[in-house]
């Protein structure tokens, strides 16, 4: 897993490039890293963004992010 600060820098770059597919993947990585650390509140914040960008990109990953949000009672 990439260090969180590297993921954050990549998110900023993908946002500047207007790349929803990359944003979805990067927010998903951040969410997973936070979930593994036990920070569910922050993880769900990132899962929400990953889900929205996956929907925007038409990515199948939206199903995975939606499942994570359901698992944590956010949907």
């Amino acid at each position: 897993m990439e260090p969180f600060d590297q993921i954050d820098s990549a998110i900023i770059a993908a946002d500047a490039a207007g790349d929803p597919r990359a944003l979805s993947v990067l927010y998903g990585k951040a969410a997973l890293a936070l979930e593994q650390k036990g920070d569910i509140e922050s993880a769900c914040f990132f899962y929400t963004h990953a889900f929205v960008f996956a929907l925007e990109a038409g990515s199948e990953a939206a199903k995975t992010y939606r499942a994570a949000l359901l698992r944590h009672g956010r949907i």
Side-chain angles (χ1 to χ4, degrees), residues 5-6 9-10 13-17 20 22 27 31-33 37 40 42-43 48 50-51 54 56 61 67 74-75:
D5 59 333
Q6 287 179 354
S9 295
D15 184 51
Y27 275 110
L32 182 59
K37 289 182 178 184
I40 303 305
S42 294
T48 299
F51 178 56
E56 183 179 335
R74 297 315 200 269
I75 294 179

Side-chain angles (χ1 to χ4, degrees), residues 1-36 39-57 59 61-62 64-66 68-69 71-72:
M1 185 67 53
E2 297 174 60
F4 194 79
D5 59 333
Q6 287 179 354
I7 296 171
D8 187 51
S9 295
I11 287 172
I12 292 167
D15 184 51
D19 186 348
R21 187 170 302 276
L23 285 164
S24 171
V25 170
L26 292 164
Y27 275 110
K29 284 183 181 183
L32 182 59
L34 290 162
E35 184 177 25
Q36 289 173 343
D39 187 351
I40 303 305
E41 192 68 29
S42 294
C44 287
F45 171 85
F46 282 91
Y47 276 131
T48 299
H49 283 75
F51 178 56
V52 169
F53 283 114
L55 289 172
E56 183 179 335
S59 171
T64 300
Y65 302 136
R66 183 178 188 282
L69 291 165
R71 185 173 63 246
H72 295 297

